[in-house]
Amino acid sequence: MKHWEESTKQKMLNLQLPTDPRWANIAAMNLEDILVDHAYCEQKAASSCISLIVRYPDLERLVDVLTPVVAEEWEHFERVMKQIRKRGYQFGRPRKDAYVIKLSEFVQKGGGRMQQLSEFLLMNALIEARSCERFKLLWKNIQDEELQQFYYELMVSEAGHYVNFIDLAKHYYDPEKVSQRWKEWLVYEAWVLKEMEFRPDRMH
C-alpha cells in the first residue's frame, strides 16, 4: 500500500487543517447517512467534470483528461449504491452541500477565460483532496473489512484525480499564479472547516 503515498507525496500539497480522527468513528455510527451523502458526492463530481467538458470543448487536453475521470466518478457512484443496497439502506434525497457552497463563494470572478478555468479546476482539486483525506480515515479506522478495502481503492483514485486537476490548471494558466492561488485556496478551505457546523452525517 506504500505505492499510493510514494507516487503522490511529491505532487500533493498538504491540507492546512486535518480532519479530526474521531470523525471516522462517528461516521461509522452514521453509516447509512455517510454512504448516501457519499453517493451524491460522486454523482456531483461526475457532473462537475461533464460541465467543464461542455464549457471548454475546444480544450483537447482537458477533454481527454476529464473524460475518463467522468467514467471513474460514475463507477464510484455505482459502487457506493451497491453498498447502500447491500446493507438494506434507503437512497434518500440529496442534502445541501454547505462545504461546496462555501468553496464556490471563493471562486474569483472576472479575469480571462483561462483564469476562470483555473479557478474551477482548483476548487475541484480541493474537493478531491479532502475526499481523499476522508477516505483514508475511513480506510484506516472503520471496522467493516469490506468497506476498508472499498475506501482504500477510492482513496487511490481520488488522489489521481486531484493531481489531474492541478496539472490541468498549470497547463492552461500561469503555473506560478496557479501555485500562489492554490495556497490561498488551502487557507480558505481550512477556515471553512473551522467555521462549519460539524456534521457526522456528511462526507465533507
Side-chain angles (χ1 to χ4, degrees):
M1 292 186 178
K2 289 183 179 179
H3 70 278
W4 170 75
E5 293 182 355
E6 290 175 354
S7 65
T8 59
K9 65 182 180 180
Q10 298 301 323
K11 297 178 181 179
M12 294 185 67
L13 295 175
N14 292 328
L15 295 166
Q16 300 297 298
L17 183 68
T19 297
D20 187 326
R22 292 174 295 177
W23 173 82
N25 294 326
I26 297 172
M29 293 186 288
N30 296 276
L31 192 55
E32 181 172 6
D33 288 324
I34 286 292
L35 286 173
V36 169
D37 193 58
H38 180 190
Y40 278 111
C41 286
E42 298 293 354
Q43 179 266 319
K44 292 171 187 174
S47 298
S48 180
C49 288
I50 291 172
S51 295
L52 286 170
I53 291 170
V54 171
R55 188 172 179 180
Y56 300 92
D58 54 312
L59 303 183
E60 186 174 329
R61 181 166 176 174
L62 179 142
V63 173
D64 289 347
V65 170
L66 293 189
T67 296
V69 174
V70 172
E72 285 186 34
E73 298 289 16
W74 196 253
E75 180 192 13
H76 294 171
F77 170 77
E78 292 178 329
R79 292 183 65 185
V80 179
M81 286 300 300
K82 286 182 180 179
Q83 293 294 335
I84 290 172
R85 299 303 189 210
K86 181 177 182 178
R87 288 166 170 74
Y89 297 154
Q90 296 298 312
F91 185 52
R93 293 181 178 276
R95 295 86 179 272
K96 180 179 179 182
D97 196 333
Y99 173 78
V100 173
I101 290 172
K102 290 300 295 183
L103 290 187
S104 65
E105 293 174 0
F106 195 62
V107 172
Q108 289 183 343
K109 309 300 181 184
R113 187 168 181 250
M114 293 301 101
Q115 181 180 354
Q116 277 294 293
L117 171 61
S118 71
E119 286 290 296
F120 288 111
L121 289 170
L122 291 180
M123 184 175 76
N124 278 277
L126 194 46
I127 295 170
E128 297 285 337
R130 182 58 69 181
S131 295
C132 182
E133 189 234 15
R134 294 283 167 95
F135 293 163
K136 184 176 182 179
L137 280 175
L138 290 172
W139 160 51
K140 286 185 170 293
N141 294 284
I142 202 166
Q143 297 302 309
D144 187 307
E145 291 185 4
E146 182 179 357
L147 286 179
Q148 281 181 2
Q149 180 62 28
F150 176 66
Y151 278 112
Y152 171 75
E153 293 171 4
L154 265 61
M155 174 189 70
V156 174
S157 179
E158 298 297 334
H161 296 170
Y162 166 97
V163 173
N164 284 337
F165 285 120
I166 294 290
D167 286 349
L168 282 172
K170 290 183 176 180
H171 176 74
Y172 287 111
Y173 196 55
D174 185 326
E176 291 186 8
K177 291 182 179 179
V178 169
S179 295
Q180 180 56 42
R181 182 60 177 158
W182 178 240
K183 293 177 183 177
E184 295 171 0
W185 270 103
L186 289 170
V187 171
Y188 176 75
E189 194 260 0
W191 175 82
V192 167
L193 286 189
K194 287 180 181 178
E195 295 297 314
M196 278 182 56
E197 175 188 2
F198 181 75
R199 295 295 301 267
D201 59 344
R202 297 287 193 273
M203 183 58 69
H204 296 122

